[in-house]
Amino acid sequence: MTTGAAPASFVSDAALKRLQKRKAADRRLKYYGLGAIGIALLLLATLVTSLIITGHTAFLQTHVTYPVYLDPAKIDAQDPDKGNYRSIVRDSFAALFPDVTGVREKRALSDILTSAAPYILRDKVVADPELIGETIDFTVPVSDPFDQFMKGNIKRETAEDDRRVTNQEIAWVDRLMADGRLSKPFNTGLLTNADSRFPEMAGLAGAITGSFFALLVCFLISFPTGIAAAVYLEEFAPKNKFTDLIEVNINNLAAVPSVVFGLLGLAVFLGTFGLPRSAPLVGGMTLALMTLPTIIITTRASLKAVPPSIREAALGIGASKHQVMMHHVVPLAMPGILTGTIIGLAQALGETAPLLLIGMNAFITSPPGGILDPSTALPTQIFIWADSPERGFVSRTSAAILVLLGFLIAMNAIAIYLRRKFERRW
Amino acid sequence: MKTAQAESQTATNGATMTPVEKASPQAAETHPVKMTARKVNVFYGAKQALFDVDLEIRDNAVTALIGPSGCGKSTFLRCLNRMNDVIDNCRVSGEIRLGDTNIYGAHIDPVLLRARVGMVFQKPNPFPKSIYENIAYGPRIHGMAERRAQMDEIVETSLRKAALWDEVKDRLQEPGTGLSGGQQQRLCIARAIAVNPEVILMDEPCSALDPIATARVEELIDELRENYTIVIVTHSMQQAARVSQRTAFFHLGNLVEEDETDQIFTNPRDKRTQDYITGRFG
Ligand SMILES: Nc1ncnc2c1ncn2[C@@H]1O[C@H](COP(=O)(O)OP(=O)(O)OP(=O)(O)O)[C@@H](O)[C@H]1O
Ligand SMILES: [Mg+2]
């Protein structure tokens, strides 16, 4: 019969076998991919869940509300800044518990209130001196152990010696609760307060402002510099050994560990230039060093992606090189450039090591007023809190991480949105 | 070989006398020379793409450049407005004159030259901007209109000359990239016309178009001939025959022969030309 190669058959055994094998291989590949994605999602979910479990309580804060008589004898109406607020706060609170008489007990009783209560009251009176002489409803956070008790992190069932609140204190809290004096509203202080020694008062305002200023400086430095460098390298630089060297170095720079940039910032910006320590200016400058390579690389990629036909079209009607770039290529590449910049900034936002080195992990109790004021940043604030033993800081650390993640997700979402919105097809 | 002789003759006879002119004196009379290429050699790195090309391009005529793929038609065309300057490893020697000026002369600004020698590309490449902006961009960067009304006028006349006005006059603010391929190519022609060039170079302007759009563009080229000098690269013998008055045949980087289009298509002097136009290669 036929001795030459027969035409391939769709139904021969060999063909069917091969088909099956091929299909099995396809399926396997698909499952490997699904498996990998599944593992990645699982890890992510674990991370976020554990953060939420430990952190969610920090988004609420137990407050106590009680009447306070602003005794004119204890406050100087002319200068409300000075006044014995400590005793006002304590005495009014003690008035709720007339049966508590011992000095020791009285002190323990006032420890239910945050230690910052006198300052909160002072600020209130300074803001509105009319209040002097009146009795007001005063709402303050309770101190950390009681906050934790209210949130169930300290259990009633635990032996008295093993928990940070005594039976007596629990009885007081129960009484406050029965009187309806305790509330657990959303913890606005977490976002509006600066750092504090007392967990119930500590917030992220300083860190958020510090991060904002640092990113602003970082953006203002790295964005124009990055674009200019990328445009030069992509469009004007002669192709020679020297520019090759620059290119290799920029790519390497992107891979340098961030701690090295921190050391550089410490040595050059603080050491040589004598810029202030812990300032967002220095933080931003250091972060700009790290963001710059990212921006240069993504900008070059976006410039490359602009089709040459656009350049030719512009050149063909007599546009100069500069006009071709500024009127056509750069605007067309802008969505890509912006995406890269936002991703670079998001990286910078989460960067910790360089900021630690230039001292942005100091304990600072007021938000910075400008780029020269000492300040913390979100990641360094997390670092500081993670280092604090109080129970309240543990949940606040997780909450701060969630806030940071929220910012990161928002920035990346903006980047994706920009990319989608301006995506072009030529 | 005939052409080789002809070329060496050109070299010895000097700039003004070419064998082509001797062959068809009328053409020389009716169409004065607009651009002249003398001994043009082009190198891409070490590779030579054009060898001693001598060619005259006549005013108010369409010159077609034909030849097999890779023979250097585009390369030659791009020499005429110095678009090769932007290619890194490209080197051009020889002389190309526009009128009396050597465009490769030391004091010549290629940017200005490109305003006088415009270009239309193979693939329609409108800017991703409005139709109006596409046309207005050139005149604006060359400072050709001081007020809005002047610009409007330039836009309208350019679009009219490119036979596109009636189709787009109601949607000038819509993106140029939203037009059909044929309309886009006419938009590109209008854009080239808007800066009022003397010469328009077209590199296979119809290769991305359907026959109807091609016919429109060809018609347009024929009309534009009145006011402009046109050089067109084409792979279509029919197109060359339809739109051009003169045809130059390139082969492997050499200009094999150049003559009136009728002459080339009915009675080519070189064997290679004959083989090419009868479809024996290329
Ligand atoms: N940028 C470049 N770098 C290197 N070599 C090039 C470059 N452009 C063209 N060449 C070479 O120069 C020669 C002529 O190319 P050219 O583009 O002029 O041909 P062409 O006649 O226009 O061909 P086609 O009809 O296919 O468009 C070819 O061998 C090509 O490989
Ligand atoms: Mg070509």
Side-chain angles (χ1 to χ4, degrees), chain A residues 3 36 38 69 128 142 149 221 225 233 242 245 247 252 255 277 325 340 349 363 373 382 414:
Chain A
T3 45
Y69 173 56
D128 186 7
V142 300
F149 174 74
I221 294 174
T225 323
L233 286 173
F242 181 64
L245 189 75
E247 202 164 331
N252 281 340
R277 247 181 100 77
M325 287 314 293
L349 175 63
F363 175 68
D373 293 349
I382 291 169
I414 293 173

Side-chain angles (χ1 to χ4, degrees), chain A residues 236 319-328, chain B residues 137:
Chain A
F236 294 94
S320 68
K321 218 164 178 173
H322 157 259
Q323 287 165 333
V324 173
M325 287 314 293
M326 295 327 275
H327 297 166
H328 299 283
Chain B
Y137 181 68

Side-chain angles (χ1 to χ4, degrees), chain A residues 22-66:
Chain A
R22 232 170 30 229
K23 280 194 169 160
D26 285 356
R27 260 199 308 278
R28 270 203 307 279
L29 189 61
K30 194 170 108 189
Y31 291 138
Y32 292 152
L34 279 175
I37 290 177
I39 291 173
L41 283 181
L42 193 72
L43 288 175
L44 192 68
T46 317
L47 172 73
V48 174
T49 326
S50 77
L51 283 174
I52 290 177
I53 287 174
T54 41
H56 77 280
T57 54
F59 287 101
L60 300 178
Q61 171 69 47
T62 315
H63 284 69
V64 58
T65 307
Y66 68 98

Side-chain angles (χ1 to χ4, degrees), chain A residues 237-239 307-321 323-324 326-328 331-332 424-426, chain B residues 78 81 83 86 88 111-112 114-115 117-119 121 123 125-129 134 137-138 141-142 177 191-192 195:
Chain A
K239 300 273 169 290
S309 64
I310 298 290
R311 292 163 218 254
E312 286 186 334
L315 283 172
I317 48 174
S320 68
K321 218 164 178 173
Q323 287 165 333
V324 173
M326 295 327 275
H327 297 166
H328 299 283
L332 287 175
R424 273 172 205 281
R425 266 174 274 281
W426 278 281
Chain B
R78 293 165 62 92
N81 68 346
M83 279 293 271
V86 295
D88 272 336
V111 167
L112 224 59
R114 289 184 203 128
V117 182
M119 192 154 196
F121 298 84
K123 229 180 100 214
N125 55 355
F127 299 127
K129 300 183 180 194
N134 262 281
Y137 181 68
I141 59 174
H142 295 295
T177 39
R191 180 176 66 190
V195 292

Side-chain angles (χ1 to χ4, degrees), chain B residues 1-267:
Chain B
M1 241 207 265
K2 226 173 182 177
T3 317
Q5 281 169 3
E7 274 175 6
S8 60
Q9 215 176 338
T10 311
T12 45
N13 280 9
T16 48
M17 296 287 278
T18 68
V20 169
E21 279 174 64
K22 279 187 238 161
S24 48
Q26 292 137 327
E29 273 169 21
T30 45
H31 301 299
V33 172
K34 183 76 186 175
M35 294 189 83
T36 323
R38 286 277 169 264
K39 286 203 164 301
V40 172
N41 289 285
V42 177
F43 302 83
Y44 290 110
K47 182 175 176 295
Q48 188 162 4
L50 283 181
F51 299 85
D52 281 339
V53 172
D54 287 334
L55 183 63
E56 282 170 358
I57 290 160
R58 288 161 198 280
D59 205 0
N60 300 109
V62 178
T63 304
L65 310 182
I66 60 170
S69 191
C71 66
K73 308 177 293 292
S74 300
T75 300
F76 180 72
L77 197 70
R78 293 165 62 92
C79 287
L80 297 178
N81 68 346
R82 293 186 59 172
M83 279 293 271
N84 282 332
D85 287 19
V86 295
I87 297 176
D88 272 336
N89 60 353
C90 182
R91 200 159 51 76
V92 179
S93 73
E95 185 185 284
I96 296 179
R97 274 184 286 139
L98 171 63
D100 304 328
T101 6
N102 178 8
I103 63 171
Y104 281 89
H107 58 284
I108 296 295
D109 174 14
V111 167
L112 224 59
L113 170 72
R114 289 184 203 128
R116 291 178 61 183
V117 182
M119 192 154 196
V120 176
F121 298 84
Q122 177 168 2
K123 229 180 100 214
N125 55 355
F127 299 127
K129 300 183 180 194
S130 70
I131 293 172
Y132 186 96
E133 265 313 298
N134 262 281
I135 311 289
Y137 181 68
R140 182 170 312 129
I141 59 174
H142 295 295
M144 289 166 63
E146 266 151 38
R147 37 183 90 242
R148 179 84 194 190
Q150 270 172 308
M151 189 59 91
D152 290 348
E153 198 186 316
I154 292 179
V155 170
E156 179 172 343
T157 42
S158 309
L159 285 169
R160 274 189 197 285
K161 281 192 203 161
L164 192 59
W165 175 249
D166 291 329
E167 287 157 72
V168 302
K169 62 173 179 242
D170 301 322
R171 43 195 270 214
L172 290 176
Q173 294 312 319
E174 282 171 39
T177 39
L179 296 172
S180 77
Q183 289 172 327
Q184 286 190 18
Q185 194 61 301
R186 276 179 284 148
L187 179 64
C188 293
I189 293 174
R191 180 176 66 190
I193 294 172
V195 292
N196 205 13
E198 297 157 48
V199 182
I200 302 176
L201 311 174
M202 302 186 176
D203 196 347
E204 301 181 44
C206 300
S207 68
L209 306 184
D210 69 37
I212 295 169
T214 301
R216 298 223 52 178
V217 173
E218 283 179 7
E219 232 170 81
L220 172 61
I221 292 172
D222 203 48
E223 282 164 25
L224 292 176
R225 177 163 68 88
E226 304 253 312
N227 302 311
Y228 305 94
T229 302
I230 294 174
V231 186
I232 177 172
V233 171
T234 175
H235 276 285
S236 154
M237 298 304 114
Q238 291 84 345
Q239 184 170 69
R242 279 193 301 264
V243 301
S244 72
Q245 283 69 53
R246 302 192 68 87
T247 298
F249 173 64
F250 284 76
H251 186 237
L252 296 177
N254 293 296
L255 174 61
V256 176
E257 77 177 274
E258 191 274 342
D259 207 332
E260 288 200 22
T261 301
D262 291 347
Q263 182 71 20
I264 292 272
F265 280 97
T266 54
N267 191 15

